[in-house]
Amino acid sequence: MIRIELDDPTLSRTRIAISPLLETVCSLWLVARDPAGLPWPFADWVRRARDIPLPAPAQLYLHLPRRMPDFVAPIPLTSAPTIEEQLELLRRTPVEVIDAQLATHQRDGRLPEHLRPFRDDPETALDRLADGLATWWDAAVAPRWPAMRAALDEEVLLRARALAADGPDALLSRLHERIIWERPVLTLIKRLDAGFTVTGSRVLLVPLIFSRGGMLCSTDDPDTQMVTYQSRGAALLADSPAPAPDDRLALLIGRGRATVLRALVTPATTTGLAAVLGLAMSTVSEHLAHLQAAGVVHRRRAGRRVLYGLEPAGLALVNLLGEDSARTEFVS
């Protein structure tokens, strides 16, 4: 496990951002996995992506240790950077940053072969890496990015509302099933064992669709403690519908409406639900209309968006028949 102790000033500066570059890096790790061992919806995407040639420079990420220097996957500096902005940031990484991070991660000075070019000729190495990532992005990630961006915007909206309404404690405690918040320690349930104390910094949360439940923890930046987590919306990666759960709620109101009702345990927009569940917008709208008419779902305006959530009757239905919902396979 990774245990991160946060002081109050750091916690009070909690922020949320998306990162096309980190999505790209995680997609490379994902495509290296055997699709037979991956759940829906990731297996569908990996089978397709394996037909795309993997640029040689981008293969660096398949050889990095679990604790890698942050400069090869820089944290986002704004809340919604473009891939072009992040690749340019990668290209312009200062030499002193590279040297400092390599020294931190390889204290004996024995750099692995795949990291030596960043010490010997950093400008060329960074350009090659950025070009390789750009090539992979264009072929493997960009075709899905408009839908991914919509789902990530939805995720950020929901988390930002929770942060504003209930504060960072509530946000961190509900972030992900493998993230535990027990003030002042944030615990990431991973095989890697490490501990850090962060003071006078800020927390940056980055939702990732390609995460596959994995969590990155960035510690090299003295001003930012970044933690990534699995975002809702991974269903948009699939070619096929989610496996059908065999449960009482679906028998009572139909599979489609049961799926929408369960998903609304976390409020969402129509667009967000469509992305999370892999359903057509028209289908989601029809289900929402029926559920709202039945008095189990409500709608609330949040700025220019309309969020749907569960009425007490809807929450009671989900809780009452919740034993079956635990077997549902869609990613949230």
Side-chain angles (χ1 to χ4, degrees):
M1 294 187 291
I2 296 180
R3 293 165 293 275
I4 310 167
E5 183 173 343
L6 305 172
D7 68 351
D8 286 344
T10 298
L11 186 63
S12 69
R13 291 193 284 269
T14 299
R15 298 293 182 267
I16 310 167
I18 66 172
S19 175
L21 179 56
L22 289 174
E23 291 282 11
T24 305
V25 170
C26 286
S27 75
L28 288 164
W29 287 327
L30 195 61
V31 83
R33 300 279 299 275
D34 181 356
L38 291 171
W40 183 94
F42 300 101
D44 285 356
W45 183 83
V46 168
R47 289 188 186 96
R48 277 184 283 100
R50 283 191 160 187
D51 292 332
I52 302 171
L54 186 59
Q59 295 179 28
L60 165 74
Y61 296 95
L62 308 184
H63 304 288
L64 289 171
R66 288 181 181 174
R67 294 189 64 180
M68 63 184 187
D70 286 356
F71 75 83
V72 298
I75 64 175
L77 298 185
T78 60
S79 61
T82 65
I83 185 64
E84 291 80 13
E85 291 168 342
Q86 290 197 285
L87 289 176
E88 182 60 24
L89 179 67
L90 175 64
R91 294 180 195 275
R92 293 188 289 103
T93 304
V95 173
E96 55 269 25
V97 169
I98 296 175
D99 290 343
Q101 291 185 11
L102 290 178
T104 297
H105 289 266
Q106 303 291 331
R107 295 185 184 277
D108 59 4
R110 297 178 181 176
L111 283 182
E113 182 179 354
H114 51 271
L115 285 177
R116 290 174 193 163
F118 296 96
R119 178 196 61 191
D120 301 337
D121 187 359
E123 183 176 349
T124 300
L126 290 170
D127 277 340
R128 290 187 71 248
L129 182 58
D131 288 344
L133 288 170
T135 298
W136 178 255
W137 163 274
D138 288 341
V141 183
R144 298 276 177 165
W145 182 243
M148 290 175 61
R149 176 62 192 271
L152 290 167
D153 285 346
E154 178 98 349
E155 175 74 18
V156 171
L157 170 66
L158 294 173
R159 301 299 184 180
R161 288 181 75 247
L163 178 62
D166 303 318
D169 287 284
L171 173 64
L172 293 176
S173 65
R174 304 169 191 161
L175 201 59
H176 190 271
E177 61 186 7
R178 291 174 56 203
I179 297 178
I180 301 170
W181 171 241
E182 295 175 336
R183 184 188 272 265
V185 177
L186 187 68
T187 301
L188 313 182
I189 301 176
K190 297 172 63 76
R191 282 180 287 181
L192 183 66
D193 191 42
F196 310 99
T197 298
V198 182
T199 60
S201 185
R202 67 168 181 156
V203 176
L204 182 65
L205 303 174
V206 180
L208 296 173
I209 285 176
F210 278 115
S211 174
R212 171 53 185 105
M215 294 162 290
L216 302 179
C217 174
S218 171
T219 59
D220 288 336
D221 190 317
D223 299 319
T224 303
Q225 174 63 61
M226 183 187 73
V227 172
T228 73
Y229 67 95
Q230 177 65 54
S231 174
R232 290 158 51 94
L236 61 84
L237 300 176
D239 293 330
S240 56
D246 180 16
D247 61 80
R248 294 175 294 163
L249 186 57
L251 290 173
L252 182 66
I253 64 174
R255 180 192 168 205
R257 289 174 198 171
T259 302
V260 170
L261 198 65
R262 283 197 188 91
L264 287 176
V265 169
T266 301
T269 65
T270 305
T271 302
L273 282 170
V276 167
L277 302 177
L279 299 174
M281 287 271 291
S282 57
T283 301
V284 172
S285 295
E286 181 181 355
H287 289 322
L288 287 172
H290 285 285
L291 292 169
Q292 189 178 4
V296 296
V297 164
H298 64 250
R299 52 180 284 161
R300 302 281 189 272
R301 184 164 291 281
R304 292 178 294 175
R305 304 189 185 195
V306 174
L307 285 172
Y308 290 85
L310 294 181
E311 289 283 6
L315 185 59
L317 267 177
V318 172
N319 288 337
L320 184 62
L321 304 177
E323 293 180 3
D324 305 293
S325 66
R327 296 198 296 266
T328 307
E329 298 283 342
F330 70 82
V331 174
S332 61

